[in-house]
Amino acid sequence: MTDEHRWPLDETPWPEQATLVYGEMVELATPYPPIPELGRLGPEVVGSRGVVVACVIEQDVRDGNVAPLYSVETEDGSPWRLRPEFLVSRGGLHPDMPPRCRSDLPEGTRVRIRLESDTPGATTDAVGEVSGLWWTTPLEPPKGYVVQVGGFSHCVTPQQTEVL
């Protein structure tokens, strides 16, 4: 992605029920006392540090509780979706957290994309629909779009995308 593409800010309000905020540094933990119906994290995961990158309010099918579900990226780049019982705040915000961004093309927008073909130096065009943003890490701005073409997903830059 080049610097010329500007992603609009995501101004969606953060859920009121959330106790952790976007960019908050956290540590993964197993609740104590244990909550058997929720399971536990393995010893190789407990203590991993990460940052909150998203939050939604969902009903947990395991116990029926409607609660915040946080998306966390750990220091090793692993993505997690966890309830607050599995997260301990480290008391600060990540210093390099970018603002929350959203796509400038709504999901379902039909686009033509230019893809590299199997022949070196050749390209091919395909038509599909935008299904979201392409991120390599939430600690950086998006790289581009995820585009569905048939049963396949392609990650493409804005420069490879033409709105139809």
Side-chain angles (χ1 to χ4, degrees), residues 24-160:
E24 189 162 348
M25 294 184 294
V26 294
E27 190 169 302
L28 280 60
T30 294
Y32 188 83
I35 307 170
E37 60 270 14
L38 297 183
R40 62 181 184 81
L41 298 176
E44 70 282 358
V45 175
V46 171
S48 296
R49 295 178 177 186
V51 61
V52 173
V53 297
C55 178
V56 295
I57 305 299
E58 288 185 1
Q59 183 172 15
D60 193 325
V61 296
R62 297 172 294 182
D63 66 357
N65 190 23
V66 176
L69 184 63
Y70 296 97
S71 294
V72 172
E73 181 169 313
T74 57
E75 290 174 332
D76 69 0
S78 300
W80 291 85
R81 284 175 46 98
L82 297 166
R83 284 194 12 192
E85 293 91 338
F86 292 90
L87 299 169
V88 176
S89 175
R90 294 187 51 228
L93 299 179
H94 192 287
D96 299 322
M97 206 63 191
R100 290 189 302 150
C101 297
R102 64 177 173 81
S103 179
D104 52 345
L105 298 179
E107 286 189 24
T109 301
R110 288 187 47 82
V111 294
R112 179 182 326 278
I113 60 174
R114 175 146 297 183
L115 302 169
E116 291 186 25
S117 78
D118 295 337
T119 307
T123 60
T124 184
D125 288 349
V127 174
E129 293 184 355
V130 173
S131 61
L133 285 177
W134 165 35
W135 306 79
T136 52
T137 172
L139 301 179
E140 296 175 359
K143 299 272 186 206
Y145 308 103
V146 176
V147 176
Q148 289 293 128
V149 178
F152 298 95
S153 294
H154 298 277
C155 297
V156 295
T157 66
Q159 294 74 25
Q160 293 174 286

Side-chain angles (χ1 to χ4, degrees), residues 11-23 52-55 70 100:
E11 297 176 349
T12 306
W14 196 254
E16 289 181 23
Q17 296 155 292
T19 55
L20 301 171
V21 299
Y22 175 78
V52 173
V53 297
C55 178
Y70 296 97
R100 290 189 302 150

